[in-house]
Structure formats: structure tokens, C-alpha cells
Amino acid sequence: MKKENKILANAVRFLSIDAVQKANSGHPGMPMGMADVVTVLFKYFLKFNPKNPSWLNRDRFVLSAGHGSMLLYSLLYLTGYKSISLKSIKNFRKLNSICAGHPEFEANTGIETTTGPLGQGISNAVGFAIAEKILKNKLGKDIINHKVYVLAGDGCLMEGISHEAMSLAGHLKLNNLVMLFDNNSISIDGPTSLAVSDNYKKRFESYGWNYLLIDGHNEKEIFKALKKVNLSKKPTVISCKTKIGYGSPNKSGKASSHGSPLGENEVSLVRKKLNWKYKKFEIPNNILNQWRTIGNKGSKIESSWNKIYKRKKNRINKILKNNFSKSIRSEKINAIKEFKSEASRKSSELVLNALTKNKNTLVGGSADLAGSNNTKTKYQKIIKPNNFLGNYIHYGVREHAMCGIMNGLALHSKLIPYGGTFLIFSDYCKPSIRLSAMMKLRVIYVMTHDSIGLGEDGPTHQPIEQLSGLRAIPNLNVLRPADRTETIECWEIALRSSATPSILSLTRQNLNPIRSEYSKINKCYFGAYEILRTSNKIKLTILASGSEVNLAIDVSHKLAKYKIYSKVVSVPSHELFELQSKSYKSKILNETRYKVSIEAGSLDCWKKFIGENGLSFGINAFGKSAPYKDVYKHFGLKTENIISKIKKYIKSK
Ligand SMILES: Cc1ncc(C[n+]2csc(CCOP(=O)(O)OP(=O)(O)O)c2C)c(N)n1
Ligand SMILES: [Mg+2]
């Protein structure tokens, strides 16, 4: 490294070391090891403007190795982002500091995504890179032409999601994507040789990536590799051989520099070794100014971009604007007119048909179940290698990466991703779903075959505890519509929830329509609403969701023959119902003493509505392989059984 650049890199190192030491917690090793690489990247290559962290055409820098968060905070502070002050760095890992333990996405701060669960950042970066390609086609390459850099460590690359995401990125030839692999051969338990003997070159080249191996402390090699990327037709891994904890006499190259402060003594020794004469957190003006000069370059680049943008602004805004209301309304009118039995996955396809007839920013996809999830419409075009004119992604059988990629698509700017798989495989998506919720992203998960109602595929495919588990995730709307009208309304909710991801839980089997009148109001927004009552004076409230609303209606009508009068409440969303006023909730729940819930899944999540004295019908076992009506019968989800249990229940209480 040139002396001046070594000093710049050391500024990153010492801010990181000092912050971890002060917090008495964190990971100094990675920032120390990768400081040289990122210094060359930020100084000579990265296109960014700290004065406008949201600049649409900035390069995206994703820190997949989120444990090295101090590397990112140091860079953002040094280059002049307002979001990160020296004070916040001193408050690293303290309550409400933007310098959280792991980077937490916040718009307009330079923190592009939330990372920490290893490997997620790689899938986000693939999403960013796909978004860049799609938007370049939509808006023109004078408006969008940026790169995506992702810094990933050994851990990220051991995770399954890295295999899925990189394989798809290679297939799609995402030449705008560059991975900086911190190839330090150390993870928490010790040398990576304890657990890995992959041939990285062969692995990545077989995906269709370039593989460049460099010394991550050699400026010339770093520079040359980053320069080479520009001409590539493929994504590139720059495998940077680095020393974790670089500069630490006793801890460099060892796992001991990974996850805990170096200790005061060792910090002094590093200061000596790297010839850093400054006090804790002190970055002398001449060094800070050099970093700020690097940051300031971006203003100029953005302002010349702005000239082009201003000319095209109206057209761009038009392209990026969505207007779904008209299609939603006309579909709702149609649903009432046609009044047809159909699977809610089919209803969802009809909604998508209407939505995709016109241009918008929806980007659909499925993990190899397009036909089963009904996610692809005849109006959509497939995204292919070297052709990003389309709006539909065949993710392949890669559920986890699909969801991480959708997070990246949503984070990039204006795209609205939706992607399908079977509800049972939400388990393969969970870590990314959780992050969509944490980051407040509008990602729409189309999850079909949502119960034992899928029938013959049996217990491995029949979701039981999935709805309950998903409902436990904060800021996630789990939407389980009961017919076509509700499916349309749930889609409308998902599209309008700009800060909340949605799960659309949809059936394989047919459902009878429950809504016979057109309503301008989106009733599903209430989360739960009355759909039927068999008398003015009722004794019983029956709550049900999705496919079981039909069953609840049948039960309610038949109970009336025994003079047990009831109301049926359709509950498309627990979360939205919880948001309603006390009086609304009370009107729905507390009209009767007797309360019943019916849902073909785990029972527990209904307790909060029906109380200890309520009666739940559901399933607490792993499903069965048989035609679906037989499976429903087997688990007691049949009108006769429910009626007889309700009769006993009312007698006994
Ligand atoms: C999914 C997941 N599993 C486990 C962890 C805990 N963890 C954090 S860092 C780490 C080791 C990472 O090793 P590497 O990527 O090589 O980072 P380095 O030690 O080189 O900085 C582990 C296991 C995690 N953050 N995410
Ligand atoms: Mg490592």
C-alpha cells in the first residue's frame, strides 16, 4: 500500500478497534483485515455521495459479513455521511445508537440493508444487481448504471443461501455484481479447514462467475482486480487473501481477533505496530480531510447525473408510478358478478392478470412452482441472462435466496417484488422473511397449498404450525383470504402496505364465494369481520380463516336447525384485527360467551381471541397423505363432528 493509503486504511482500523474496545463487545478482526481493500474501493471506484445517501444511481455497498459492522460505520463517518457521527461511533452497540451491533437498514443513511445472519447480504446484493438491470432497461442507461459490491466472509460463503444466490447470479450473468471475499480462512471456531475444503475457484467458476485471487493487503493487486471488473460479462468474486486482525501482534490471523475486543494492552501494541500515534477515536484533520475529499467527489458526479435526470424526470416518475386501484375495483366487481367456486391461488392469478396487463413496477417470480403458485400471467415476460426487459423471475428451486433477493429488489428503489412457493416451504424462507419485516419492506410472499387441503402430497407438504409461526413475526401481515373477493382485498392490502411485508396464504382446493355483495370498502382491512349471522340474538361466535370460513358457514347454518344461533367471523388477518379499536374488537369478540375457532393448522394462535373457555378446531399433528376431504375428516374438520362438539361445549359451560 502507498503510505497515504495505508494511513487512510489505518483510520478505519483504529476507529473500529476503539469502538469495539469501548463497547467491550463486537468484532474488530474483520475491519482490520479488510481495511486496505475497502480503502482502495472507496477511494478509486465506489460511486457514492455522502450528501445524498439515497441517490438513485449510487453504487450499492453491502456488508454481508455484518459482524464487521464497525468497518461500515467507520467508512460512512470518514467519508462524511451525516448519519454517522463520531459520537454515534463512541456509542457503538449502545441503546438507540445508529451504530448497532450489526448494520440495521435505515433509508438515507448509507446502511443499505440489515445484515448479521450470514449470507443474507449476498442474496440482497443479487437483488440489488437484478434491480439495477431491470431499471436500466426501464429508465435508460444514462439514469441507471451502477455496480453492486458485496463484502462477504468465509461464514457467508459456507451458508446455503450463498450457493443459491450466487448460482442464480451466475446464470443471469449479473456483470454489475462484485463480491469482495474476505478470504482470511478463519471463522469463530478456528481455521476454516476445520469444516471446509471447497475449491473456491472451481465452485465460483462453475456458477458462471469470474474468480480473481489477490493479496488483500496489496494495493496494486486490489486496484487491478477492481479495474478488471469493469470489462466483465459475468459477476466477479475478488478473493482477497487477508489477515484477520491485521496489525495485532498477538491476535492477527487468529480466531481470537474475531468476536471480542482486543484488550487495552493489545490495542496499544497495534498502535505501536502500525505507527498510529493518535489517541482513542482521534482522527487528525489532515487524515479526516483526505477521507472527506474522497466523499466529496460524489457531489460532482451526482450533479452531472442530475442534469440528465431533470430532463427525464417527468417520464421517469411516470414509469415508476403505480396505479392499482382501478384494476382492484373492477376485479372486485367481476368477482361478485361471476360468483364462482375457485381456489384462492387461482383468484390470486386473476388479480395478477389484471395488475400485469398494465405496466408497473411489480416483479414476480416463483421458486420453480409458477404453475402451482399461479404467479405468472400471460402478460409477464421472463427475465433472462442478458435480457432484463421482463418482469418475471424463475428463481429455480431456491426459496431462501428468492426471499433474500426480493429484499434486495425492494430495497433498491421502487420495485415491488412478489414471489411464490408452497406455504410449507416458508420454513425455507423464514430468515429472509424476518428481515423483510425488520427492514419494513414491501415484499409480497405468495404462499399456496396452505393447509391439509392440498391433500395427497401428505404431511411433508401440509403446513400445520407455519401460520402460527409466521403470525408471531412482528410487522408481518399474514393474510388468509376465504374467497375471490377477499383475495383481491388481501392483494390490495399487500400492495398498499409500503412498510410491511405480506404473506398471502392461498389454497390449492376450491372455495365457495362468501361475499355476495360488492363493497367499496376493503373489509379485509379490519382483519376480522362478520360475514353471517343466523339470528339477531346469537349465542355463539365462530371465527375462521381462509378455507375454513366455508366450513364455519356450513356449521353455523346447521346449528341454527338445533336453535343454536351464531355469527361467523371471517378472520383474514390476525395482525390487522389486532390494530382495530377496542370497541370494534369487543363488538366482534365479546358479543357472545361461547366462542369457537376453526382453522386447519395449529390451535394456539387463536387462544388470544377465543380465550381459555373457547373451543378450537384445528390440527396439532403432521397431516396425512390422502384425498383432502378424507384428511379433513380424519382431523375432525367436518361439519357433523364440529356441531356435535359445539353442542357438548355449550352444554358443559
Ligand atoms: C446464520 C448465522 N450463523 C451464525 C452466525 C454467528 N457468526 C457470526 S460471525 C461467524 C463466523 C464468521 O466467520 P467469517 O465469515 O469467516 O468472519 P471472520 O471471522 O473472518 O470475520 C459466525 C458463526 C451468524 N451471524 N449468522
Ligand atoms: Mg473468515
Side-chain angles (χ1 to χ4, degrees):
M1 297 284 284
K2 274 189 224 126
K3 195 171 166 213
E4 65 189 74
N5 289 340
K6 195 89 218 171
I7 292 171
L8 292 177
N10 283 343
V12 173
R13 286 193 175 97
F14 283 97
L15 276 179
S16 304
I17 292 171
D18 290 342
V20 172
Q21 192 61 40
K22 178 156 189 287
N24 199 20
S25 141
H27 303 73
M30 190 280 257
M32 293 164 81
M34 282 300 277
D36 295 328
V37 174
V38 293
T39 297
V40 176
L41 174 72
F42 273 62
K43 180 164 178 179
Y44 300 108
F45 294 92
L46 197 76
K47 185 168 69 178
F48 67 110
N49 181 9
K51 295 207 174 63
N52 180 10
S54 306
W55 175 30
L56 182 63
N57 195 33
R58 69 193 182 279
D59 288 339
R60 303 313 194 260
F61 177 70
V62 176
L63 189 74
S64 188
H67 56 280
S69 54
M70 263 319 303
L71 177 92
L72 179 61
Y73 306 144
S74 303
L75 288 165
L76 296 179
Y77 164 67
L78 289 168
T79 52
Y81 284 78
K82 287 243 159 47
S83 50
I84 310 276
S85 61
L86 195 57
K87 191 171 159 214
S88 51
I89 288 185
K90 288 180 183 166
N91 280 329
F92 177 51
R93 293 189 159 227
K94 296 281 187 313
L95 196 66
N96 294 330
S97 170
I98 184 162
C99 298
H102 295 84
E104 294 176 20
F105 164 69
E106 207 180 309
N108 212 32
T109 60
I111 302 170
E112 301 282 8
T113 178
T114 297
T115 52
L118 296 172
Q120 289 291 332
I122 297 178
S123 62
N124 299 159
V126 173
F128 279 124
I130 296 174
E132 194 268 354
K133 295 268 184 194
I134 293 173
L135 289 168
K136 187 184 277 172
N137 270 312
K138 278 186 187 288
L139 308 179
K141 56 175 182 262
D142 47 356
I143 295 297
I144 300 282
N145 54 31
H146 69 79
K147 288 216 161 349
V148 180
Y149 296 93
V150 54
L151 194 167
D154 302 294
C156 290
L157 290 169
M158 287 187 227
E159 290 291 351
I161 193 169
S162 74
H163 295 256
E164 296 180 20
M166 292 180 76
S167 162
L168 183 63
H171 167 74
L172 290 175
K173 299 193 182 357
L174 299 175
N175 64 340
N176 52 354
L177 177 61
V178 181
M179 176 185 288
L180 304 165
F181 168 23
D182 181 18
N183 187 350
N184 61 18
S185 303
I186 291 284
S187 62
I188 293 186
D189 280 356
T192 50
S193 60
L194 289 169
V196 189
S197 38
D198 294 5
N199 180 324
Y200 284 120
K201 182 173 178 345
K202 284 190 181 165
R203 175 182 161 192
F204 299 138
E205 285 181 349
S206 82
Y207 294 152
W209 287 57
N210 302 307
Y211 184 79
L212 307 173
L213 180 64
I214 63 164
D215 172 351
H217 302 295
N218 180 314
E219 179 173 338
K220 276 197 186 129
E221 290 188 26
I222 302 166
F223 187 91
K224 222 169 106 189
L226 284 166
K227 182 115 191 158
K228 204 165 172 189
V229 162
N230 277 329
L231 304 169
S232 177
K233 292 197 158 61
K234 304 173 184 177
T236 301
V237 180
I238 303 177
S239 177
C240 310
K241 270 284 169 207
T242 63
K243 236 188 176 116
I244 189 168
Y246 178 93
S248 164
N250 296 303
K251 297 196 171 178
S252 73
K254 294 184 189 151
S256 55
S257 69
H258 165 95
S260 48
L262 296 175
E264 294 290 356
N265 282 347
E266 191 66 16
V267 172
S268 310
L269 294 178
V270 185
R271 278 192 151 74
K272 230 178 250 160
K273 170 127 188 175
L274 297 181
N275 199 20
W276 192 256
K277 300 193 187 86
Y278 315 108
K279 289 198 286 274
K280 272 182 201 168
F281 297 105
E282 183 190 346
I283 305 292
N285 275 341
N286 68 326
I287 300 176
L288 188 60
N289 286 342
Q290 285 179 57
W291 267 114
R292 292 287 152 93
T293 310
I294 294 170
N296 287 341
K297 281 189 312 188
S299 292
K300 241 193 191 156
I301 306 173
E302 185 184 344
S303 56
S304 57
W305 175 89
N306 248 328
K307 282 184 200 129
I308 309 167
Y309 177 75
K310 274 195 187 124
R311 254 195 294 120
K312 293 179 132 188
K313 195 171 166 184
N314 287 342
R315 199 168 69 82
I316 290 171
N317 286 343
K318 225 163 125 189
I319 295 170
L320 297 179
K321 202 171 152 206
N322 290 316
N323 190 352
F324 299 121
S325 331
K326 234 168 117 183
S327 319
I328 296 282
R329 204 183 54 213
S330 68
E331 282 311 295
K332 272 177 86 169
I333 293 169
N334 269 348
I336 302 297
K337 247 196 241 155
E338 290 185 18
F339 203 67
K340 240 171 87 179
S341 272
E342 76 192 7
S344 50
R345 61 176 172 149
K346 180 73 192 168
S347 311
S348 167
E349 182 186 336
L350 295 176
V351 181
L352 284 170
N353 254 326
L355 296 176
T356 54
K357 233 180 244 172
N358 306 313
K359 284 202 169 138
N360 55 48
T361 66
L362 278 173
V363 179
S366 162
D368 199 45
L369 290 168
S372 303
N373 303 144
N374 301 53
T375 41
K376 184 174 176 313
T377 75
K378 56 182 183 259
Y379 303 107
Q380 286 175 302
K381 292 210 165 60
I382 294 163
I383 285 171
K384 294 180 184 153
N386 300 323
N387 185 349
F388 290 79
L389 284 166
N391 52 1
Y392 193 87
I393 301 173
H394 284 289
Y395 287 101
V397 193
R398 301 183 184 101
E399 294 85 1
H400 196 181
M402 170 174 78
C403 301
I405 290 169
M406 289 201 288
N407 285 343
L409 290 169
L411 281 163
H412 184 279
S413 48
K414 298 281 184 185
L415 300 176
I416 305 176
Y418 73 86
T421 184
F422 292 153
L423 182 63
I424 191 71
F425 302 131
S426 62
D427 287 345
Y428 274 46
C429 307
K430 232 2 155 6
S432 305
I433 296 175
R434 188 167 189 272
L435 287 166
S436 324
M438 203 182 285
M439 290 192 270
K440 304 193 174 86
L441 302 179
R442 177 169 38 194
V443 174
I444 303 172
Y445 297 94
V446 179
M447 302 224 154
T448 68
H449 298 58
D450 74 340
S451 74
I452 51 166
L454 64 87
E456 292 83 348
D457 275 340
T460 56
H461 283 54
Q462 292 164 345
I464 300 292
E465 75 284 13
Q466 279 63 30
L467 286 168
S468 259
L470 291 164
R471 284 176 184 141
I473 297 178
N475 191 40
L476 175 68
N477 283 334
V478 179
L479 306 167
R480 192 161 188 256
D483 73 351
R484 196 202 290 182
T485 299
E486 281 203 0
T487 306
I488 300 164
E489 291 185 347
C490 287
W491 258 106
E492 183 179 30
I493 292 168
L495 290 167
R496 284 186 193 274
S497 300
S498 58
T500 304
S502 300
I503 305 268
L504 289 161
S505 165
L506 305 171
T507 65
R508 171 178 186 249
Q509 76 275 29
N510 280 352
L511 306 175
N512 296 323
I514 61 163
R515 295 265 292 270
S516 54
E517 275 170 45
Y518 171 74
S519 136
K520 207 173 149 189
I521 294 170
N522 183 327
K523 294 195 178 180
C524 289
Y525 256 120
F526 296 104
Y529 64 96
E530 184 178 314
I531 194 87
L532 163 86
R533 66 168 55 219
T534 51
S535 161
N536 282 338
K537 213 165 156 11
I538 55 165
K539 200 170 198 172
L540 174 72
T541 300
I542 308 175
L543 306 172
S545 86
S547 39
E548 285 67 65
V549 177
N550 274 198
L551 182 57
I553 288 172
D554 195 34
V555 167
S556 177
H557 282 308
K558 292 203 170 124
L559 280 172
K561 290 188 185 145
Y562 300 97
K563 301 213 161 35
I564 300 173
Y565 299 108
S566 60
K567 69 174 177 185
V568 174
V569 175
S570 176
V571 190
S573 168
H574 287 208
E575 301 77 23
L576 293 174
F577 183 51
E578 294 275 24
L579 293 178
Q580 301 309 311
S581 66
K582 237 183 175 169
S583 65
Y584 180 79
K585 276 166 51 179
S586 179
K587 198 175 93 190
I588 293 285
L589 294 178
N590 298 334
E591 187 179 350
T592 66
R593 206 175 114 212
Y594 299 107
K595 290 165 213 168
V596 166
S597 74
I598 314 177
E599 184 176 72
S602 301
L603 312 169
D604 281 356
C605 57
W606 291 90
K607 286 255 160 66
K608 60 183 184 288
F609 298 143
I610 60 166
E612 281 305 314
N613 292 324
L615 177 64
S616 268
F617 294 89
I619 307 165
N620 273 342
F622 281 124
K624 277 277 181 197
S625 167
Y628 85 89
K629 288 187 179 160
D630 296 342
V631 188
Y632 265 85
K633 191 166 171 206
H634 174 84
F635 285 109
L637 295 171
K638 279 295 274 188
T639 307
E640 298 70 34
N641 176 57
I642 293 174
I643 286 179
S644 92
K645 295 245 164 74
I646 288 178
K647 282 185 359 212
K648 274 189 212 146
Y649 160 63
I650 288 178
K651 249 192 211 154
S652 73
K653 301 254 171 188

